[in-house]
Coordinates of all heavy atoms in Angstrom, one line a residue:
K1200 N -64.9 -75.2 -58.5 CA -64.6 -76.5 -59.1 C -65.5 -76.7 -60.3 O -66.7 -76.5 -60.1 CB -64.8 -77.7 -58.2 CG -64.6 -79.0 -58.8 CD -63.2 -79.4 -59.0 CE -62.6 -79.9 -57.6 NZ -61.3 -80.5 -57.8
V1201 N -65.0 -77.0 -61.5 CA -65.7 -77.2 -62.7 C -65.5 -78.6 -63.3 O -64.3 -79.0 -63.4 CB -65.4 -76.1 -63.7 CG1 -66.2 -76.2 -65.1 CG2 -65.5 -74.7 -63.2
V1202 N -66.4 -79.3 -63.7 CA -66.3 -80.6 -64.3 C -67.0 -80.6 -65.7 O -68.0 -80.1 -65.8 CB -66.9 -81.7 -63.4 CG1 -66.8 -83.0 -64.1 CG2 -66.1 -81.8 -62.1
G1203 N -66.2 -81.1 -66.6 CA -66.8 -81.3 -68.0 C -66.1 -82.5 -68.7 O -65.2 -83.1 -68.2
R1204 N -66.6 -82.7 -69.9 CA -66.0 -83.8 -70.8 C -64.6 -83.3 -71.1 O -64.5 -82.2 -71.5 CB -67.0 -84.1 -71.9 CG -68.2 -84.7 -71.5 CD -68.9 -85.5 -72.6 NE -70.2 -85.9 -72.5 CZ -70.8 -86.5 -71.5 NH1 -70.1 -86.7 -70.4 NH2 -72.1 -86.9 -71.5
A1205 N -63.7 -84.3 -71.2 CA -62.3 -83.9 -71.5 C -62.3 -83.3 -72.9 O -62.7 -84.0 -73.9 CB -61.4 -85.2 -71.3
S1206 N -61.7 -82.2 -73.1 CA -61.6 -81.5 -74.3 C -60.7 -80.3 -74.2 O -60.7 -79.7 -73.2 CB -63.0 -81.1 -74.8 OG -62.9 -79.9 -75.5
G1207 N -59.9 -80.1 -75.2 CA -59.0 -78.9 -75.2 C -59.8 -77.6 -75.1 O -59.4 -76.6 -74.5
D1208 N -61.0 -77.6 -75.6 CA -62.0 -76.5 -75.6 C -62.4 -76.1 -74.2 O -62.7 -75.0 -73.8 CB -63.2 -76.7 -76.5 CG -62.7 -76.6 -78.0 OD1 -61.7 -76.1 -78.3 OD2 -63.6 -77.1 -78.8
L1209 N -62.6 -77.1 -73.3 CA -63.0 -76.9 -71.9 C -62.2 -76.0 -71.1 O -62.6 -74.9 -70.7 CB -63.2 -78.2 -71.2 CG -63.6 -78.0 -69.7 CD1 -65.1 -77.6 -69.7 CD2 -63.6 -79.4 -69.0
H1210 N -60.9 -76.2 -71.3 CA -59.9 -75.4 -70.6 C -59.8 -74.0 -71.1 O -59.9 -73.0 -70.3 CB -58.5 -76.0 -70.8 CG -57.3 -75.3 -70.2 ND1 -56.7 -74.3 -70.8 CD2 -56.8 -75.4 -69.0 CE1 -55.7 -73.8 -70.1 NE2 -55.8 -74.4 -68.9
V1211 N -60.0 -73.8 -72.4 CA -60.0 -72.5 -73.0 C -61.2 -71.7 -72.7 O -61.2 -70.6 -72.3 CB -59.9 -72.6 -74.6 CG1 -60.1 -71.3 -75.2 CG2 -58.5 -73.2 -75.0
Q1212 N -62.4 -72.4 -72.8 CA -63.7 -71.7 -72.5 C -63.8 -71.3 -71.0 O -64.3 -70.2 -70.7 CB -64.9 -72.5 -72.9 CG -65.1 -72.5 -74.4 CD -66.4 -73.0 -74.8 OE1 -67.3 -73.3 -74.0 NE2 -66.6 -73.2 -76.1
I1213 N -63.3 -72.1 -70.1 CA -63.4 -71.9 -68.7 C -62.5 -70.6 -68.4 O -62.9 -69.7 -67.7 CB -63.0 -73.0 -67.8 CG1 -63.9 -74.2 -68.0 CG2 -62.9 -72.6 -66.4 CD1 -65.4 -73.8 -67.8
C1214 N -61.3 -70.6 -68.9 CA -60.5 -69.4 -68.7 C -61.1 -68.1 -69.3 O -60.9 -67.1 -68.7 CB -59.1 -69.7 -69.5 SG -58.1 -70.8 -68.5
E1215 N -61.8 -68.2 -70.5 CA -62.4 -67.0 -71.1 C -63.5 -66.5 -70.2 O -63.6 -65.4 -70.0 CB -62.9 -67.4 -72.5 CG -61.9 -67.5 -73.5 CD -62.5 -68.0 -74.9 OE1 -63.7 -68.2 -75.0 OE2 -61.7 -68.1 -75.8
I1216 N -64.3 -67.5 -69.6 CA -65.4 -67.1 -68.7 C -64.8 -66.3 -67.5 O -65.3 -65.4 -67.1 CB -66.2 -68.3 -68.4 CG1 -67.0 -68.8 -69.6 CG2 -67.1 -68.0 -67.2 CD1 -67.7 -70.1 -69.4
V1217 N -63.8 -67.0 -66.9 CA -63.3 -66.4 -65.6 C -62.7 -65.1 -65.8 O -62.8 -64.2 -65.1 CB -62.3 -67.5 -65.0 CG1 -61.6 -66.8 -63.9 CG2 -63.1 -68.7 -64.6
C1218 N -61.9 -65.0 -67.0 CA -61.3 -63.7 -67.4 C -62.3 -62.5 -67.5 O -61.9 -61.4 -67.2 CB -60.4 -63.8 -68.6 SG -58.9 -64.8 -68.3
R1219 N -63.5 -62.9 -68.0 CA -64.5 -61.8 -68.1 C -64.8 -61.2 -66.8 O -65.2 -60.0 -66.7 CB -65.7 -62.4 -68.7 CG -65.7 -62.4 -70.2 CD -67.1 -62.9 -70.7 NE -67.0 -64.2 -71.3 CZ -67.8 -65.2 -71.3 NH1 -69.0 -64.9 -70.8 NH2 -67.6 -66.3 -71.8
H1220 N -64.7 -61.9 -65.8 CA -65.1 -61.5 -64.4 C -64.0 -61.2 -63.4 O -64.2 -60.6 -62.4 CB -66.1 -62.6 -63.7 CG -67.2 -62.9 -64.5 ND1 -68.4 -62.0 -64.6 CD2 -67.5 -63.9 -65.4 CE1 -69.2 -62.6 -65.4 NE2 -68.8 -63.7 -65.9
D1221 N -62.8 -61.7 -63.8 CA -61.6 -61.4 -63.0 C -60.5 -61.1 -63.8 O -59.8 -62.0 -64.4 CB -61.3 -62.7 -62.1 CG -60.1 -62.5 -61.2 OD1 -59.5 -61.4 -61.2 OD2 -59.7 -63.5 -60.6
N1222 N -60.2 -59.9 -64.1 CA -59.1 -59.4 -65.0 C -57.7 -59.7 -64.4 O -56.7 -59.5 -65.2 CB -59.3 -58.0 -65.5 CG -59.7 -57.0 -64.4 OD1 -60.0 -57.4 -63.3 ND2 -59.7 -55.7 -64.8
E1223 N -57.6 -60.1 -63.2 CA -56.3 -60.5 -62.6 C -56.1 -62.0 -62.8 O -55.0 -62.4 -62.4 CB -56.2 -60.1 -61.2 CG -56.3 -58.6 -60.9 CD -56.2 -58.3 -59.4 OE1 -55.9 -59.2 -58.7 OE2 -56.5 -57.1 -59.1
F1224 N -57.1 -62.7 -63.3 CA -56.9 -64.2 -63.4 C -55.8 -64.6 -64.3 O -55.6 -64.1 -65.4 CB -58.2 -64.8 -63.9 CG -58.2 -66.3 -64.0 CD1 -58.2 -67.1 -62.9 CD2 -57.9 -66.9 -65.3 CE1 -58.2 -68.4 -63.0 CE2 -57.9 -68.3 -65.3 CZ -58.0 -69.0 -64.2
S1225 N -54.9 -65.5 -63.8 CA -53.8 -66.1 -64.6 C -53.9 -67.6 -64.5 O -53.9 -68.2 -63.5 CB -52.5 -65.6 -64.0 OG -51.4 -66.4 -64.6
A1226 N -54.1 -68.3 -65.7 CA -54.3 -69.7 -65.7 C -53.0 -70.4 -65.2 O -53.1 -71.5 -64.6 CB -54.6 -70.2 -67.1
E1227 N -51.8 -69.8 -65.4 CA -50.6 -70.4 -64.9 C -50.5 -70.5 -63.4 O -49.9 -71.5 -62.9 CB -49.4 -69.5 -65.4 CG -49.1 -69.6 -66.9 CD -50.1 -68.6 -67.6 OE1 -50.5 -67.7 -67.0 OE2 -50.4 -69.0 -68.8
T1228 N -51.1 -69.6 -62.6 CA -51.0 -69.6 -61.2 C -52.3 -69.9 -60.5 O -52.3 -70.3 -59.3 CB -50.5 -68.3 -60.6 OG1 -51.3 -67.2 -61.1 CG2 -49.1 -68.0 -61.2
R1229 N -53.4 -69.7 -61.2 CA -54.7 -69.9 -60.5 C -55.7 -70.9 -61.0 O -56.9 -70.9 -60.9 CB -55.4 -68.5 -60.5 CG -54.6 -67.4 -59.9 CD -55.3 -66.3 -59.5 NE -55.9 -66.7 -58.2 CZ -56.1 -65.9 -57.2 NH1 -55.7 -64.7 -57.3 NH2 -56.7 -66.3 -56.1
L1230 N -55.2 -71.9 -61.8 CA -55.9 -72.9 -62.4 C -55.2 -74.3 -62.2 O -54.0 -74.5 -62.4 CB -56.1 -72.7 -63.9 CG -56.8 -73.8 -64.7 CD1 -58.3 -73.7 -64.5 CD2 -56.4 -73.7 -66.1

């Protein structure tokens, strides 16, 4: 669970961080 100030960048940066560590991560099904 991640909490931050509402911003379009938050979603993008979290996905980038997670993808660095889990190459099977898909925002459509796992976010």
Side-chain angles (χ1 to χ4, degrees):
K1200 175 77 81 173
V1201 180
V1202 173
R1204 296 203 189 314
S1206 146
D1208 289 342
L1209 177 66
H1210 180 271
V1211 171
Q1212 284 195 8
I1213 298 308
C1214 287
E1215 287 175 0
I1216 290 169
V1217 172
C1218 284
R1219 274 187 251 150
H1220 300 281
D1221 178 4
N1222 43 352
E1223 294 179 15
F1224 179 77
S1225 166
E1227 291 82 25
T1228 59
R1229 305 202 76 143
L1230 174 80

